[in-house]
Amino acid sequence: MKRFLLLLVSMAIARICSTAKEEEETTTCATLAEEGKCLTDADTMNDKCAKECHQWRLRYYQEQLRFQVFSIGESERDEIFDMSIKNSTGSLISMERFEGFITLIIPIAKNCKSDKVSPKFMIESIEQLQQVWPRTVEIIVLPFEHPTKDYIGLDCTDFEDEHQKKGRPIYVMEMTNLNGPKTHPILQKLKNGMHVEELTVNTTQYFLLNPDWSKLQYHYTKGLMDMKDVLQEMINIMDHGDEL
C-alpha cells in the first residue's frame, strides 16, 4: 500500500514538474519570438518554438508588410460558392470549384505597348507563382480598364491576345470593374466582407482566401515575390494545424 501511495505521489510530482516545464518553455518561446528571434535565428526557433514563430510571423506580416484580415460570413460564402462567373473566353466557371483551395485573387489593369511591363510577362509570372503549389493554390485574375486611363488610340493587342489565351493553369476572367455598379460580383462580395465601398485603383492589391473562404487577407503595395512568401507562410501555418 505504501509503495502504491509513493508511486501516486511520484507520478503527481512528475506531472507537476512536466507542466511547469512546458509552461516555462512556452513562456520562453513567446519571449524569444517577441524579441525577433524567429527572424534572426529562424532554424533554431522553427525547431523548438514552431507555434510561437507562426503566430509571431502572422503579426509581423500584418504590421510590417501591410495587410488586413477580415472574416467572411457563412451566408456570404454560400452565395459566393453558388455563383458561376465568366472567364476571358466566355466559359462559365463555377465558384464551387475553389472551395478547399487557398485562392489568390489578383486584379490587373489593362496595359498597352506604351506601358513598361508586357502583358505576356505579367500573366506568365502569375502562372509561375501558381505552379509552385499546383494542388494547393488557385489563382483568379480579374483584368480591368483603369478608370483614369484613356485607351482610345492605344495599341493594346498584346494584352488582348494574352487575355484570350486558352489552356492556362490560372483563371483569367472577363474584363470587369473594381468599383461602381459594374463591379465584378466576387469583388463585390469581398468588399461587403471588408465593409468598404471602393477599392483603390492606383496600387497593386491581392485578395487571399483560406480554403473554406472564411478568412480574407487583403494585401496591398506588394509584388508577386512578396505574395510567394505570404502563400508559403499560410501553407506552413495550415500544415502545423494553427488557425490563420
Side-chain angles (χ1 to χ4, degrees), residues 168-212:
R168 295 189 179 281
I170 60 176
Y171 293 84
V172 181
M173 299 304 173
E174 64 181 347
M175 294 296 296
T176 189
N177 293 320
L178 300 192
N179 299 307
K182 295 183 178 181
T183 298
H184 194 280
I186 300 303
L187 275 185
Q188 189 58 60
K189 289 293 183 185
L190 298 183
K191 287 164 67 175
N192 291 345
M194 296 166 62
H195 305 290
V196 298
E197 294 184 3
E198 290 202 351
L199 296 170
T200 179
V201 295
N202 294 317
T203 187
T204 55
Q205 51 195 325
Y206 306 87
F207 301 83
L208 180 60
L209 295 123
N210 66 336
D212 68 0

Side-chain angles (χ1 to χ4, degrees), residues 199-228:
L199 296 170
T200 179
V201 295
N202 294 317
T203 187
T204 55
Q205 51 195 325
Y206 306 87
F207 301 83
L208 180 60
L209 295 123
N210 66 336
D212 68 0
W213 284 50
S214 62
K215 295 293 183 182
L216 163 64
Q217 293 183 8
Y218 173 62
H219 295 259
Y220 49 96
T221 64
K222 294 186 176 74
L224 285 176
M225 291 306 295
D226 296 320
M227 292 310 298
K228 182 179 179 181

Side-chain angles (χ1 to χ4, degrees), residues 17-236:
C17 292
S18 176
T19 301
K21 184 179 180 181
E22 288 177 3
E23 291 177 351
E24 182 181 354
E25 288 178 351
T26 300
T27 303
T28 302
C29 281
T31 301
L32 291 173
E34 290 303 321
E35 292 174 355
K37 296 295 184 181
C38 297
L39 191 64
T40 59
D41 190 12
D43 289 341
T44 301
M45 290 294 288
N46 286 336
D47 182 49
K48 295 183 177 181
C49 305
K51 183 177 181 179
E52 287 77 12
C53 277
H54 284 311
Q55 293 171 345
W56 178 85
R57 287 194 190 96
L58 195 60
R59 293 195 303 274
Y60 173 81
Y61 276 126
Q62 187 160 1
E63 293 169 1
Q64 301 296 324
L65 299 185
R66 287 172 291 192
F67 80 95
Q68 296 172 281
V69 180
F70 302 91
S71 295
I72 305 297
E74 185 176 354
S75 60
E76 289 282 338
R77 300 201 306 270
D78 290 342
E79 290 177 10
I80 290 173
F81 291 136
D82 284 342
M83 288 182 178
S84 291
I85 58 177
K86 286 185 179 181
N87 68 5
S88 59
T89 61
S91 298
L92 282 175
I93 307 296
S94 171
M95 287 302 298
E96 190 176 18
R97 73 144 347 274
F98 298 101
E99 188 173 9
F101 291 89
I102 294 173
T103 303
L104 180 62
I105 300 176
I106 310 176
I108 59 170
K110 180 178 180 179
N111 64 0
C112 307
K113 287 189 180 296
S114 57
D115 296 309
K116 294 180 179 179
V117 180
S118 76
K120 181 179 177 66
F121 176 81
M122 181 168 53
I123 298 293
E124 288 184 352
S125 296
I126 297 173
E127 288 179 328
Q128 290 169 9
L129 176 63
Q130 191 275 335
Q131 288 299 289
V132 177
W133 308 278
R135 298 181 181 180
T136 307
V137 175
E138 295 285 12
I139 297 181
I140 298 173
V141 174
L142 297 178
F144 66 96
E145 288 192 353
H146 198 289
T148 64
K149 188 169 185 174
D150 185 2
Y151 288 93
I152 297 176
L154 296 179
D155 184 355
C156 305
T157 52
D158 287 350
F159 183 91
E160 291 158 3
D161 290 344
E162 289 298 318
H163 181 231
Q164 295 291 318
K165 189 175 179 180
K166 297 181 179 180
R168 295 189 179 281
I170 60 176
Y171 293 84
V172 181
M173 299 304 173
E174 64 181 347
M175 294 296 296
T176 189
N177 293 320
L178 300 192
N179 299 307
K182 295 183 178 181
T183 298
H184 194 280
I186 300 303
L187 275 185
Q188 189 58 60
K189 289 293 183 185
L190 298 183
K191 287 164 67 175
N192 291 345
M194 296 166 62
H195 305 290
V196 298
E197 294 184 3
E198 290 202 351
L199 296 170
T200 179
V201 295
N202 294 317
T203 187
T204 55
Q205 51 195 325
Y206 306 87
F207 301 83
L208 180 60
L209 295 123
N210 66 336
D212 68 0
W213 284 50
S214 62
K215 295 293 183 182
L216 163 64
Q217 293 183 8
Y218 173 62
H219 295 259
Y220 49 96
T221 64
K222 294 186 176 74
L224 285 176
M225 291 306 295
D226 296 320
M227 292 310 298
K228 182 179 179 181
D229 293 338
V230 172
L231 281 164
Q232 184 62 70
E233 184 64 21
M234 177 177 277
I235 291 169
N236 290 343

